Amino acid sequence: MPSAADEISAAIAAAEGAIPFSEYMRLALYGEGGFYTTGGRAGRRGGDFITSPEVGPLFGTVIARALDAWWKELGSPSRFDVVECGAGPGTLARSILAAQPECLGAMHYVAVEISASQRALHPQSVESRETMPESPITGVILANELLDNLPFRLFVFDGSWMEAFVSQASGGQFIEVLGKSDVVPSCLPQTAPLGSRAPIQDAAASWVRESLARISIGRLLLFDYCSVSTSEIALTPWRQWLRTYRDQGRGNHYLTDPGSQDITAQVMLDQLPTGFSSSSQTDFLKQWGINDLVSEGNIYWESMKQAPDVAAMKMRSRKLEAQSLLDPNGIELFGAVQWHRSGYPSDR
């Protein structure tokens, strides 16, 4: 199997000198030797980074409460599709199923994951797939930290907005070169400090449109690190929003070690299809009862702490999990973004 660096070098040679940053990112993450294709470590304890579901089962328990409410709003159909995209090793699926929601008997859970090694870890009770199902969806498509990893074009202000391409120096290292774009995206500000950067997230916008088209009735729910305005992010130091991760910490420069580290950027809400509602992840979790679940856990723990069973230990952990999920300096900074389809009732 070729390494990501080998694939990128071949693509640069085929393009006679340079490829768009979006193509570099696609190969680094999703090529044959890409991070997500081969690594199998993202989103797992001991892996390269920890996502909200990996904090513990509380996150999935809250999602299960929301799924119950949305199932009932649809009239409690006999089949209720829940399609999780970028499912990783299936941690969120396990937590949702373990919560035993009322809709469980109707739930058809589909875990979509590009990595074969991660799909092998999915629970047997879900449908595990590499690609999205083709049939119309009645229910919910959800994704946690997916859009921030979809390849994006990168623009740099150098007196005017230029598109970033990736070339290869004689010593073999990958380097950035700038080229003029036929069309400068309208979301970019007219001017910016020299060296300012901004992502143009065509793939993320396309993914949302295609996902919405698959929903006959229901909603699309995304959790991600979001920014409202591309103009605002263009004025923000790029190292604050264009990041790499490996071994549960920040990685190296995005042009080094392709295939061995995650590459991520904040999701630009103004580049996504309109018609969504958004809130902080914290507000979403509170809306769907995270505080009630913590109180329930505390009561159960107090009643069982003299001779705790496994359930008591899990209930006790809810307090610590909530502290992590609601941490004002951590995961709390994520947003929850939703679209409704075909007359789906509005949020409560």
Side-chain angles (χ1 to χ4, degrees), residues 282-317:
T282 287
D283 286 345
F284 178 93
L285 295 175
K286 288 180 177 178
Q287 176 189 0
W288 294 109
I290 189 171
N291 290 330
D292 292 340
L293 289 167
V294 171
S295 296
E296 177 185 88
N298 289 339
I299 292 170
Y300 190 89
W301 167 252
E302 287 297 324
S303 70
M304 297 291 293
K305 65 181 181 181
Q306 299 304 321
D309 56 12
V310 174
M313 298 303 294
K314 290 181 178 179
M315 287 294 195
R316 184 188 187 191
S317 74

Side-chain angles (χ1 to χ4, degrees), residues 6-348:
D6 290 340
E7 289 185 275
I8 292 166
S9 296
I12 290 172
E16 299 183 346
I19 57 175
F21 177 81
S22 57
E23 178 64 5
Y24 168 86
M25 184 173 173
R26 184 187 72 80
L27 293 170
L29 296 183
Y30 303 107
E32 286 188 59
F35 176 76
Y36 282 104
T37 309
T38 63
R41 297 177 299 159
R44 296 172 59 189
R45 291 191 180 277
D48 292 283
F49 57 86
I50 296 298
T51 65
S52 295
E54 289 295 327
V55 171
L58 181 60
F59 183 79
T61 304
V62 177
I63 301 300
R65 289 170 65 113
L67 292 175
D68 268 342
W70 298 335
W71 173 62
K72 292 173 183 177
E73 286 179 348
L74 288 179
S76 303
S78 59
R79 174 169 169 140
F80 182 61
D81 299 312
V82 178
V83 181
E84 182 193 353
C85 300
T91 304
L92 180 56
R94 286 187 182 84
S95 296
I96 290 174
L97 298 175
Q100 294 287 304
E102 292 180 55
C103 64
L104 187 61
M107 184 186 295
H108 177 226
Y109 200 108
V110 181
V112 181
E113 171 56 48
I114 191 173
S115 169
S117 59
Q118 299 247 47
R119 288 199 305 275
L121 301 173
H122 289 174
Q124 294 184 353
S125 53
V126 308
E127 179 185 348
S128 181
R129 297 173 52 96
E130 183 178 0
T131 59
M132 287 273 278
E134 295 295 330
S135 57
I137 291 166
T138 297
V140 180
I141 297 177
L142 62 89
N144 181 67
E145 294 190 57
L146 173 66
L147 264 62
D148 62 322
N149 294 123
L150 297 184
F152 54 84
R153 292 187 292 155
L154 183 61
F155 276 71
V156 181
F157 193 80
D158 188 30
S160 62
W161 285 105
M162 309 282 282
E163 185 168 359
F165 292 79
V166 176
S167 185
Q168 194 163 21
S170 57
Q173 67 271 30
F174 297 115
I175 58 174
E176 186 176 88
V177 295
L178 301 181
K180 289 188 177 181
S181 177
D182 293 335
V183 178
V184 175
S186 60
C187 59
L188 292 170
Q190 291 188 349
T191 187
L194 196 66
S196 295
R197 293 164 180 258
I200 300 300
Q201 295 170 320
D202 307 308
S206 294
W207 186 90
V208 170
R209 284 192 293 268
E210 291 169 5
S211 296
L212 289 173
R214 295 176 186 272
I215 300 174
S216 60
I217 181 168
R219 70 175 66 199
L220 171 62
L221 170 65
L222 307 176
F223 296 100
D224 229 312
Y225 207 124
C226 300
S227 290
V228 173
S229 167
T230 306
S231 293
E232 177 184 336
I233 213 70
L235 302 177
T236 302
W238 64 267
R239 287 177 177 83
Q240 293 184 20
W241 57 263
L242 175 51
R243 300 176 291 269
T244 63
Y245 291 97
R246 63 187 302 172
D247 300 326
Q248 299 189 41
R250 294 293 290 268
N252 298 320
H253 189 278
Y254 52 81
L255 292 184
T256 64
D257 304 321
S260 68
Q261 59 185 358
D262 187 25
I263 304 173
T264 181
Q266 288 168 229
V267 177
M268 304 293 106
L269 294 181
D270 63 332
Q271 296 184 32
L272 299 182
T274 58
F276 60 81
S277 61
S278 64
S279 68
S280 69
Q281 178 172 290
T282 287
D283 286 345
F284 178 93
L285 295 175
K286 288 180 177 178
Q287 176 189 0
W288 294 109
I290 189 171
N291 290 330
D292 292 340
L293 289 167
V294 171
S295 296
E296 177 185 88
N298 289 339
I299 292 170
Y300 190 89
W301 167 252
E302 287 297 324
S303 70
M304 297 291 293
K305 65 181 181 181
Q306 299 304 321
D309 56 12
V310 174
M313 298 303 294
K314 290 181 178 179
M315 287 294 195
R316 184 188 187 191
S317 74
R318 285 183 176 180
K319 181 178 180 179
L320 292 177
E321 292 174 45
Q323 289 174 353
S324 295
L325 292 170
L326 305 179
D327 181 359
N329 298 311
I331 294 176
E332 185 274 345
L333 297 174
F334 281 76
V337 189
Q338 300 181 57
W339 288 259
H340 305 145
R341 293 289 290 177
S342 298
Y344 197 95
S346 60
D347 282 342
R348 301 189 306 178

